[in-house]
Amino acid sequence: MKALRDRILKDGKCFPDGILKVDKFINHQMDPNLMKQICVEFIRRYASTEINKIITIEASGIAPAIMMGFLLDLPVVFAKKKKPSTMGDMLSTSVFSFTKQREYHVVISKEYLGEGDKVLFVDDFLAYGNAAKGIIDLCKKAGAELVGMGFIIEKAFQHGREVIEAEGVRCESLAIIESLDNCEIKMREK
Ligand code: 5GP
């Protein structure tokens, strides 16, 4: 997606250990117009897929997910990183965070993910695929069908796509970073 690639080159910043900072337009300060274009592109790519719910994981996935839900008129559920004391029956899995270098639990209430659901997952980044693996596990536990995963930015050199496709799940990403070596953003054309 050209507008996104151009924006990453203009406002994205490289950090050590393969981290790209996009907090000027995606996950701290947000550009709603770009976010809408991002979601319209996800919707175009998944146009022939039956979806009844959008899921994501807090916190950075919530912005694209709510925009998707709004545009498709579908409910949006996000996996929580802390179990609320008021949550009843829930599904739980553990996820290793590469940016925070620690393991944490994510939970979703059984009330909001279950058999018969056909869910599309969206998130800001695909890196090693740990968050994606957690979501795949939650969907399996729920008996829900994960019809696809959509990422705003994929860092191809961290190979998360292989984790997702090995599970037979469709993966779409709108900007693919080939390398951040020497603090230079190298992006796949198209
Ligand atoms: P994964 O689970 O695929 O290894 O990493 C994905 C999660 O880690 C995303 O939800 C995202 O929030 C965070 N993440 C991974 N890589 C980056 C990055 O380069 N920059 C930022 N800002 N977040 C990242």
Side-chain angles (χ1 to χ4, degrees):
M1 186 184 152
K2 187 171 182 317
L4 175 62
R5 289 200 305 271
D6 290 349
R7 190 64 178 271
I8 292 169
L9 290 175
K10 179 170 166 270
D11 287 330
K13 290 197 172 58
C14 283
F15 273 66
D17 302 320
I19 294 184
L20 179 68
K21 199 170 171 190
V22 288
D23 68 350
K24 195 168 181 181
F25 57 107
I26 300 265
N27 55 20
H28 189 19
Q29 175 168 269
M30 291 177 269
D31 178 340
N33 191 287
L34 179 67
M35 201 61 96
K36 182 181 168 199
Q37 292 176 59
I38 284 167
C39 291
V40 166
E41 179 59 18
F42 279 138
I43 290 166
R44 190 186 69 76
R45 292 188 190 200
Y46 281 103
S48 58
T49 305
E50 196 188 333
I51 303 163
N52 77 337
K53 197 169 274 187
I54 307 297
I55 63 169
T56 189
I57 188 162
E58 68 175 340
S60 305
I62 294 176
I66 193 83
M67 183 73 85
M68 288 288 287
F70 175 73
L71 293 173
L72 291 171
D73 197 16
L74 291 177
V76 177
V77 185
F78 64 91
K80 291 185 174 240
K81 291 181 178 167
K82 270 198 190 126
K83 178 194 169 308
S85 59
T86 50
M87 195 183 273
D89 266 2
M90 60 180 181
L91 304 153
S92 160
T93 195
S94 69
V95 170
F96 180 77
S97 166
F98 138 79
T99 45
K100 299 194 174 81
Q101 287 293 309
R102 66 175 176 87
E103 188 109 357
Y104 59 92
H105 278 86
V106 294
V107 297
I108 284 190
S109 166
K110 283 188 182 168
E111 211 176 329
Y112 304 124
L113 187 66
E115 271 173 41
D117 277 332
K118 292 174 185 295
V119 298
L120 176 67
F121 173 81
V122 295
D123 202 0
D124 59 346
F125 274 93
L126 173 61
Y128 294 94
N130 292 312
K133 217 169 13 179
I135 292 297
I136 291 169
D137 187 44
L138 285 178
C139 288
K140 279 185 189 162
K141 285 175 175 162
E145 189 185 345
L146 181 59
V147 298
M149 304 188 112
F151 300 90
I152 299 176
I153 301 170
E154 172 180 350
K155 293 184 292 178
F157 57 93
Q158 290 168 337
H159 306 293
R161 175 179 288 271
E162 291 160 28
V163 172
I164 295 169
E165 291 182 342
E167 292 284 342
V169 176
R170 180 174 168 195
C171 173
E172 293 285 341
S173 42
L174 306 188
I176 301 181
I177 312 285
E178 296 284 12
S179 152
L180 295 173
D181 290 350
N182 306 315
C183 253
E184 194 193 332
I185 303 173
K186 284 208 182 114
M187 213 152 1
R188 192 174 297 174
E189 284 302 315
K190 214 187 135 8

